[in-house]
Amino acid sequence: MIVVMWRKVLGLLLMGALCACTQPINRCETAADCRSGALCLQNVCVYDGEIDSQACDRPCATYEACSALTLKCQPRFTGLVVSPSDTTVDGGTLSVRAELRVTPGFAANFPESLNIGVSRGDGGTVASLPTTTEGDGVYTTQWSPSGEGAYRLTAAYPEQGGPSTTVGLTVDTTGPLLSVVPTASPSREPDGGFIYKDPAAPGAWRRDQTATVRVDSSSADLDPQSVSVLVRGFDGGVALEGLTLAPSTSCDGKAYCATVEVPLWKPGLPAFRGEFAVEVSAKDRVGNQTSAKGSIPVTRWKWRHGINSAVITATPAVGNKGVLYVGTTNGGNNDGRLLAISEEGRLLWEASTGAVIASPAVGNALPDGSERVYAAHRKASANRVGFYAGSSSFVSSCVDFASTTALVQSALSIGQVSVGSASETVYGVYTGRAGGTLFAARPDESDPLLQCPTNLGVGDVVAPGTMLASGPFVVLGTSTGRLKSYALGSSGLWSSSAQWDRPLGVLNPTAMAVADGRIFGGSNDGSNSRLFTAPLDGGQDPTNTPTGAPAWNASIGGSPESRVVVGLQNNNLLALDAADGGTQSIQTPSEVIKGAPVWGAGGYVYTASSTSGVIQARRPLDHLEWQFDAESPIEASMNLDCSRAADGGVMPGMPGVLYAASQDGRVFAIVVDSPGLDSTAPWPKYQHDSRNTGNPDTPLTSCP
């Protein structure tokens, strides 16, 4: 500033010289030759800053300074800056800062405090606020608004006429308005015997669907980045966070709108049906938070199909692409049907060729993408064994024969035996024909004589007894208490005698299962019933564990240890440790479980009652997580598959589908939290796998 003033003085001197002036302005030798407050630079008095107030034309106020240059009172401060400036604030305590800025060259002379007050926007006084001096002209205070509305905050020099600044503050303590609107579940009306809506919750979404939820607000100050969605599982089930909101293009006059997709299989649902709470929170631009709630009704019901005049005792099979094959019979076991049903609940085809007592089995996928489903029929006295391949046309691999006493009761099993020109081999036994007739259906065999070789007198296999295929052998338990193994010879015909033949110590074996090279099975011998085990290679006689009541169809779970589980007639589940033989009894009050328990991925075990039809999900085995009443006894074992796309491909990350068939001809599809069978289980269901092959070498369907 001094340099600037010096340049001005030199300019004046130069002008004086040009005007032929003889006396320089403000000539000095020392500062004493100048007025107070000036400097003597190069023999010229230079005036800058502030001088004694008495030198001015009037006494200056404390917020003024006497300018050494003009000898007039000038503002000591260039301004009074207040923060926050005009803005909207929330209702919390507000920190206010006021700063006096000094005119360069003048002394600060800051007052001890400022006058800071708040008034209503309409002029009404609210409060005078005490200030704290922070130094260097900075003053602070705090204000706690008494309510919403417009306010004026004024900071002023304490002397009348001093600098003053007023800012407008709008106090907003209310969060933005929010609404949560879940869309209605898709409506699918009954069709051809299929019921798609849960009768107990017709407006519910399915557990395997994705529901859309709309979030909107009429508040223009909503901060879109602050919106978050939480979906709470039902009845303490795990919650789902981190969902992504997608802005909508049309908000119907709202200031904000967005949608979020909720995968309904992810929140916890420890029940058959329930409601998920959708909680949305958001803030406005000053931080006020608000929330809103909605709910999504959810059910595990996928569909139900009622088959007229039908009895179902055979376990349905699931094909390589998720087609469900269901066999039925009538009261006399001399008529019935085989149905092919898609996973989404649509009848693909139906064959009315006779009663299906033995559970059907599905072969390997063929090169053209099709598959064979093998079945044994009886219609009146006509007995037939063969397959279907994508339609209701029955292809017989074996010669039909007439008999009113013969019946294939035990499940078919499938092996891969490279004899002759065929590999896929389907085994079964005609009970009541020539002392039990063992057959091997081989549709790929080019020699007609070898397409269905038979072996007489092997012993009857009665329901619910089963057969196993392992390597080149087939194993069966007969109604006379024998466990036998047979194999096809190199000629393509049966070997003349059993590979091995062992006494079981029981008379009526039920379904069998395999783990670690050993066969496990139960028996239906009243109070003398047993749970037996025998080497798969027949190397020694079986051993058994008394059960005290008929033991029905067994399955074997996996980690953490292999356990053989079977339902008992005395309303219990019996679990046997396959390694050490230790047992555990689990009560199933009033319920007899005849079907083999189904071991699903994720640690679930599914059972169905042959007494009432109640389906239960257990995790672990002795803990009931949810149940569903099918209202009709279920004697057939259940099946479990992946969720499928329209082309039959597996849908990764999705839940599974549990299939149950009641004795009164109804088939249920239920969405469960297991994406398919437990891959660690040696024998997770009746006949091992979803295709019912009865072969421990068949890979379990992978449901990633």
Side-chain angles (χ1 to χ4, degrees), residues 575-593:
L576 180 142
D577 190 310
D580 61 20
T583 60
Q584 177 189 8
S585 184
I586 301 166
Q587 292 186 346
T588 56
S590 304
E591 308 293 348
V592 176
I593 297 170

Side-chain angles (χ1 to χ4, degrees), residues 1-22:
M1 185 66 179
I2 294 174
V3 174
V4 173
M5 296 302 298
W6 172 236
R7 289 175 177 171
K8 290 182 179 179
V9 170
L10 292 179
L12 293 173
L13 291 174
L14 178 60
M15 290 177 64
L18 295 175
C19 295
C21 297
T22 60

Side-chain angles (χ1 to χ4, degrees), residues 298-652:
V298 183
T299 180
R300 295 184 181 277
W301 177 288
K302 191 173 181 73
W303 50 259
R304 185 187 76 197
H305 182 49
I307 307 171
N308 295 329
S309 304
V311 176
I312 302 175
T313 57
T315 297
V318 175
N320 296 279
K321 292 188 176 181
V323 175
L324 182 71
Y325 299 101
V326 182
T328 76
T329 181
N330 59 8
N333 287 342
N334 56 18
D335 200 3
R337 285 167 280 178
L338 185 71
L339 297 84
I341 302 173
S342 67
E343 186 239 20
E344 74 270 16
R346 182 168 57 91
L347 183 63
L348 302 177
W349 52 261
E350 177 181 359
S352 301
T353 52
V356 180
I357 309 302
S359 297
V362 180
N364 289 334
L366 299 175
D368 63 359
S370 64
E371 63 189 5
R372 300 186 185 109
V373 52
Y374 296 93
H377 293 280
R378 183 169 77 179
K379 190 161 189 172
S381 63
N383 293 271
R384 314 177 70 194
V385 174
F387 64 88
Y388 301 86
S391 73
S392 60
S393 298
F394 183 73
V395 181
S396 180
S397 298
C398 301
V399 176
D400 299 345
F401 71 94
S403 172
T404 58
T405 58
L407 185 64
V408 179
Q409 297 184 35
S410 65
L412 304 178
S413 58
I414 300 179
Q416 304 296 324
V417 182
S418 298
V419 175
S421 58
S423 176
E424 190 162 273
T425 304
V426 181
Y427 303 105
V429 170
Y430 273 112
T431 295
R433 181 189 182 204
T437 298
L438 176 64
F439 61 83
R442 296 165 58 78
D444 294 323
E445 176 59 61
S446 58
D447 186 345
L449 297 177
L450 302 179
Q451 287 182 349
C452 195
T454 59
N455 194 4
L456 308 180
V458 301
D460 287 337
V461 182
V462 299
T466 56
M467 300 177 59
L468 309 175
S470 178
F473 306 106
V474 61
V475 180
L476 53 93
T478 72
S479 60
T480 57
R482 310 294 299 184
L483 192 64
K484 301 180 180 182
S485 176
Y486 293 89
L488 293 174
S490 59
S491 64
L493 300 175
W494 289 104
S495 299
S496 57
S497 59
Q499 302 298 304
W500 51 263
D501 184 349
R502 296 284 185 177
L504 275 175
V506 298
L507 294 179
N508 296 296
T510 51
M512 299 182 291
V514 175
D516 300 325
R518 290 184 294 162
I519 301 171
F520 296 87
S523 76
N524 179 13
D525 293 322
S527 60
N528 293 321
S529 297
R530 301 283 192 272
L531 189 62
F532 67 84
T533 181
L536 185 58
D537 62 7
Q540 64 185 48
D541 286 348
T543 59
N544 55 59
T545 301
T547 60
W552 299 106
N553 299 315
S555 61
I556 306 177
S559 58
E561 68 278 331
S562 293
R563 287 194 295 170
V564 183
V565 179
V566 62
L568 303 181
Q569 190 66 33
N570 62 2
N571 305 325
N572 280 275
L573 283 171
L574 179 66
L576 180 142
D577 190 310
D580 61 20
T583 60
Q584 177 189 8
S585 184
I586 301 166
Q587 292 186 346
T588 56
S590 304
E591 308 293 348
V592 176
I593 297 170
K594 289 187 176 181
V598 178
W599 298 78
Y604 291 92
V605 184
Y606 304 97
T607 60
S609 170
S610 64
T611 310
S612 65
V614 171
I615 298 169
Q616 297 181 330
R618 302 168 175 274
R619 187 174 67 162
L621 183 64
D622 56 359
H623 173 72
L624 177 62
E625 183 159 303
W626 58 260
Q627 65 181 25
F628 166 71
D629 189 357
E631 301 178 346
S632 179
I634 297 175
E635 188 165 317
S637 295
M638 297 187 292
N639 209 331
L640 178 60
D641 191 33
C642 320
S643 284
R644 302 278 181 167
D647 62 358
V650 173
M651 299 179 66

Side-chain angles (χ1 to χ4, degrees), residues 212-258:
T212 301
V213 177
R214 179 184 170 96
V215 179
D216 58 41
S217 174
S218 59
S219 301
D221 61 347
L222 179 141
D223 178 6
Q225 302 301 317
S226 71
V227 184
S228 64
V229 180
L230 172 71
V231 180
R232 295 196 180 277
F234 177 71
D235 197 19
V238 64
L240 178 61
E241 301 180 84
L243 294 170
T244 302
L245 286 145
S248 299
T249 56
S250 175
C251 291
D252 299 327
K254 300 286 188 178
Y256 169 85
C257 64

